Amino acid sequence: SSELTQDPAVSVALGQTVRITCQGDSLRSYYASWYQQKPGQAPVLVNYAKNKRPSGIPDRFSGSNSGDTASLTITGAQAEDEADYYCHSRDSSGNLRVFGAGTRVTVL
Amino acid sequence: QVELQESGPGLVKPSETLSLTCTVSGGYVSGETYFWTWIRQRPGQGLEWLGNIYYSGNTHYNPSLESRLSISADTSKTHFSLKLSSVTAADTAVYYCAREDDHDYLAHFDSWGQGILVTVSS
């Protein structure tokens, strides 16, 4: 399968924790990476592999993997975390790439 | 830190070929761990991986576009390009170029262009 499935939308109260999931057969073999996209902006890498964060990304963004599911957790969500989040990985062949459809995170 | 910048026409007529270039600053289209990639986002939609090119010239394409898509890199290794033929309104999108770092098979896009809106309309 070449699909990655994400929930369309989630909401979280300010300061609380939210987990975004990404499910797909290829995730049994390959790690996911996660991107934050705000309106009118290019996506930004926030987490990849086994919970690696690029420089400048707050440590409230953490990643994990279990079986066919990858997760991005925002611990202590801030207003500026309101955005669309996309997962990405290889497809099952390993040669192509695929994105999940995205999860819109609303901070209440 | 490498920087990427897309360029090309913002308006393309239906049935024509969409051509975009990504200029790489602070680096080259090279490196054994990097895939140089095109991604698009239709209005109000999610990200769609279009294809990539390796420094060796090897390419991979999204199967849904493979018959119309070509990605190449220039010999100076400072640009890579996308050509999408026989475009329709469904190809209207923001097109991004990006660098994928695949070190240790941990594929992730660590650099992105700002994106360029291409509208297909007569």
Side-chain angles (χ1 to χ4, degrees):
Chain A
S1 171
S2 60
E3 292 186 352
L4 297 178
T5 301
Q6 297 182 243
D7 291 329
V10 296
S11 60
V12 58
L14 184 68
Q16 296 303 301
T17 297
V18 63
R19 188 175 75 165
I20 307 161
T21 61
C22 174
Q23 184 179 22
D25 288 344
S26 66
L27 297 180
R28 296 185 183 278
S29 304
Y30 304 106
Y31 285 110
S33 58
W34 292 93
Y35 304 86
Q36 176 193 72
Q37 187 181 35
K38 297 180 180 179
Q41 298 182 17
V44 173
L45 176 69
V46 295
N47 202 281
Y48 66 101
K50 208 168 186 178
N51 193 22
K52 294 182 183 293
R53 276 186 310 277
S55 172
I57 300 300
D59 61 5
R60 64 178 179 270
F61 291 92
S62 61
S64 62
N65 304 270
S66 178
D68 68 349
T69 301
S71 301
L72 178 71
T73 300
I74 308 174
T75 303
Q78 303 299 302
E80 61 264 30
D81 300 336
E82 188 163 285
D84 294 328
Y85 291 83
Y86 294 91
C87 62
H88 148 265
S89 187
R90 284 180 150 81
D91 76 337
S92 296
S93 76
N95 290 322
L96 307 181
R97 309 294 190 263
V98 61
F99 285 98
T103 297
R104 176 153 296 178
V105 173
T106 300
V107 180
L108 303 172
Chain B
Q1 175 75 359
V2 70
E3 293 187 354
L4 307 176
Q5 177 71 60
E6 305 88 352
S7 60
L11 181 65
V12 180
K13 289 182 169 54
S15 80
E16 295 189 344
T17 296
L18 183 164
S19 297
L20 297 174
T21 295
C22 182
T23 299
V24 179
S25 304
Y28 295 94
V29 181
S30 62
E32 293 184 357
T33 65
Y34 297 124
F35 289 88
W36 304 87
T37 302
W38 287 97
I39 294 158
R40 73 180 180 183
Q41 187 169 34
R42 295 182 174 118
Q45 303 298 309
L47 301 172
E48 180 181 18
W49 180 83
L50 303 182
N52 64 27
I53 186 165
Y54 194 47
Y55 80 102
S56 63
N58 286 350
T59 53
H60 293 104
Y61 299 124
N62 187 317
S64 68
L65 295 167
E66 188 164 14
S67 63
R68 300 192 292 130
L69 181 61
S70 175
I71 297 174
S72 61
D74 77 329
T75 55
S76 71
K77 301 293 187 183
T78 59
H79 303 80
F80 64 105
S81 299
L82 169 149
K83 290 187 187 298
L84 183 64
S85 63
S86 305
V87 297
T88 69
D91 295 309
T92 293
V94 174
Y95 287 75
Y96 296 100
C97 59
R99 185 182 77 172
E100 182 188 65
D101 185 348
D102 197 32
H103 181 68
D104 285 343
Y105 251 67
L106 304 178
H108 58 281
F109 297 108
D110 62 351
S111 294
W112 293 71
Q114 66 183 26
I116 182 170
L117 173 63
V118 179
T119 302
V120 178
S121 175
S122 54

